[in-house]
Amino acid sequence: MKRTIYTEDHEAFRASVAEFVKRSIEPHAERFVEQRAIDRETWQAAGELGYLGLGVPEEFGGSDAGDYRFNAVLGEELAKASAALASSFGIHYDVCAPYLVELTTDEQKRRWLPRFCTGELITAIGMTEPSGGSDLAALKTTAVRDGDDWIINGSKTFITNGFNADLVIVAARTSPEKKAKGITLFAVENGMAGFSRGRKLDKVGQPESDTAELFFDNVRVPDANRIGEVDRGFIAMMERLPQERIGAAISNIAHAAAILDETLQYAKERKAFGQQIGSFQYNKFLFAELVTKIEVTQAFVDQGVAAHADGALSAVDAAKAKWWSAQVQNDVLDACVQLHGGYGYMREYRVARAWMDARVTKIWAGSNEIMKELIGRDLGL
């Protein structure tokens, strides 16, 4: 079905992003995989085109698109190339940006946002901890007030962009007695004494995305690096998780759709028993199912994007989009691997990499099980 949420301006922007991917990413894709990180030059190339500052006011160096649909287009085009690209860039321009734009002082904006927009300042967000997973309210990292500073101790894990980030938005417990209502956000910057990183984590998929453990050993952070109000961090995270989750859904479905298109072409060219493998009734029916799943899911995600662009996306609808798109993505890619036969198990084929890359989408941004819990609660259960 024809998609209706995008205008000519969005499609012109899509063409620009597609050209960026072709020129600045595809020729270097294998190197990104080998070094398990995206070159800083590529970040800066994205910055020069205004992609990293879509949600940042012009006075602080951003392109101030004023329309979330541009974020969605960027996420789709990056995901078509690689799930890891959408992940790494998305954490920066789609997840971290709202915290740095909406919760910071003008002084902080002037200090961080211009370099954020150019790609000189790569960002990450430190929520997940080794013992907590999806349970953000149970985090153990602490921040204790010491004069005009805060002393942070603890650790984070599975942090996208964690190895190369210049600034990490860290959630820390400031009032333990208040539980979830006692969490505050801080900007921990590269070079602060006591802030260190573990090795790049050896993941099953998405090697281009540098992911790391972060350690805080008596890190002294000035109050000038506190983001938002004291003890309001959990609320700030909850308010911004719907954008993270609809962003994940956008990438999930675009990623799966791109690989399904390639698999359909493969099924038309590959022959077995004297005919195209796609012409066998079972495979034909399977493709009919997969295409329908993609298009129906895309329609729901598009409605979520439109709602978010209007400021009307609920946390529950974002949870629905996140878990369902991740499930469909994994179902589709599993079938695509099977349709490729033995070749589908070879890392040199995009379908094999995509299959590995997608497995995490049912876990991150809140596991699918947590998403169902949120939806179930909304049903009064």
Side-chain angles (χ1 to χ4, degrees), residues 334-345:
D334 189 64
C336 288
V337 168
Q338 193 72 13
L339 286 160
H340 275 80
Y343 293 106
Y345 200 61

Side-chain angles (χ1 to χ4, degrees), residues 54-290:
L54 290 173
V56 178
E58 291 182 6
E59 64 181 300
F60 300 112
S63 45
D64 197 13
D67 181 348
Y68 184 76
R69 290 175 293 177
F70 287 101
N71 287 42
V73 169
L74 179 56
E76 286 181 7
E77 293 305 309
L78 291 171
K80 289 177 185 178
S82 159
L85 289 167
S87 170
S88 288
F89 283 113
I91 284 292
H92 183 82
Y93 77 83
D94 203 46
V95 176
C96 290
Y99 290 89
L100 298 180
V101 170
E102 297 165 9
L103 298 176
T104 52
T105 65
D106 283 348
E107 185 278 328
Q108 289 172 328
K109 289 181 175 69
R110 287 191 294 271
R111 188 160 28 119
W112 295 324
L113 286 177
R115 290 182 297 135
F116 175 95
C117 294
T118 62
E120 296 172 83
L121 183 88
I122 298 173
T123 59
I125 187 161
M127 294 185 186
T128 308
E129 297 190 350
S131 61
S134 295
D135 188 2
L136 296 180
L139 61 84
K140 295 180 179 179
T141 297
T142 61
V144 178
R145 190 72 185 249
D146 182 30
D148 292 331
D149 300 330
W150 296 83
I151 307 301
I152 298 181
N153 282 283
S155 64
K156 303 290 180 179
T157 194
F158 312 136
I159 306 305
T160 301
N161 295 344
F163 197 82
N164 288 311
D166 302 291
L167 182 151
V168 182
I169 300 170
V170 175
R173 189 171 297 284
T174 43
S175 297
E177 72 282 1
K178 295 182 181 179
K179 299 182 179 180
K181 296 181 179 179
I183 294 170
T184 305
L185 303 176
F186 299 91
V188 176
E189 299 182 73
N190 186 32
M192 286 184 167
F195 172 40
S196 62
R197 311 159 203 253
R199 59 188 170 83
K200 291 180 186 176
L201 296 175
D202 187 12
K203 309 186 299 293
V204 170
Q206 300 200 23
E208 311 98 305
S209 166
D210 70 281
T211 307
E213 297 171 302
L214 307 179
F215 302 101
F216 310 95
D217 183 9
N218 290 320
V219 181
R220 183 173 290 275
V221 178
D223 191 56
N225 276 35
R226 172 172 49 82
I227 296 175
E229 297 177 35
V230 174
D231 292 343
R232 294 276 296 177
F234 186 78
I235 294 171
M237 290 188 288
M238 292 303 101
E239 290 173 343
R240 286 156 187 81
L241 276 174
Q243 176 156 317
E244 180 176 355
R245 287 168 179 163
I246 194 65
I250 290 163
S251 300
N252 293 347
I253 204 65
H255 180 238
I259 301 301
L260 180 58
D261 285 344
E262 294 175 16
T263 303
L264 179 59
Q265 186 59 40
Y266 176 83
K268 291 177 179 179
E269 298 171 355
R270 177 74 170 173
K271 291 186 176 181
F273 305 102
Q275 64 186 91
Q276 297 173 346
I277 63 169
S279 67
F280 290 107
Q281 187 181 63
Y282 177 85
N283 290 342
K284 189 183 302 181
F285 282 15
L286 178 58
F287 274 113
E289 292 174 10
L290 299 177

Side-chain angles (χ1 to χ4, degrees), residues 241-250 297 299-308 311-325 371-372 374-376 378-379:
L241 276 174
Q243 176 156 317
E244 180 176 355
R245 287 168 179 163
I246 194 65
I250 290 163
T297 305
F300 185 81
V301 172
D302 280 356
Q303 287 303 107
V305 170
H308 191 51
L313 179 66
S314 71
V316 172
D317 284 342
K320 292 173 183 176
K322 186 273 172 185
W323 94 258
W324 181 252
S325 64
M371 298 302 97
K372 293 175 187 179
L374 295 174
I375 297 163
D378 188 62
L379 298 174

Side-chain angles (χ1 to χ4, degrees), residues 12 20 33 51 103 112 136 147-148 169-170 172 195 236 249 286 296 330 332 344 355 359 361:
F20 164 73
V33 170
Y51 300 157
L103 298 176
W112 295 324
L136 296 180
D148 292 331
I169 300 170
V170 175
F195 172 40
L286 178 58
V296 170
N330 277 268
V332 167
W355 180 54
R359 187 58 185 82
T361 67

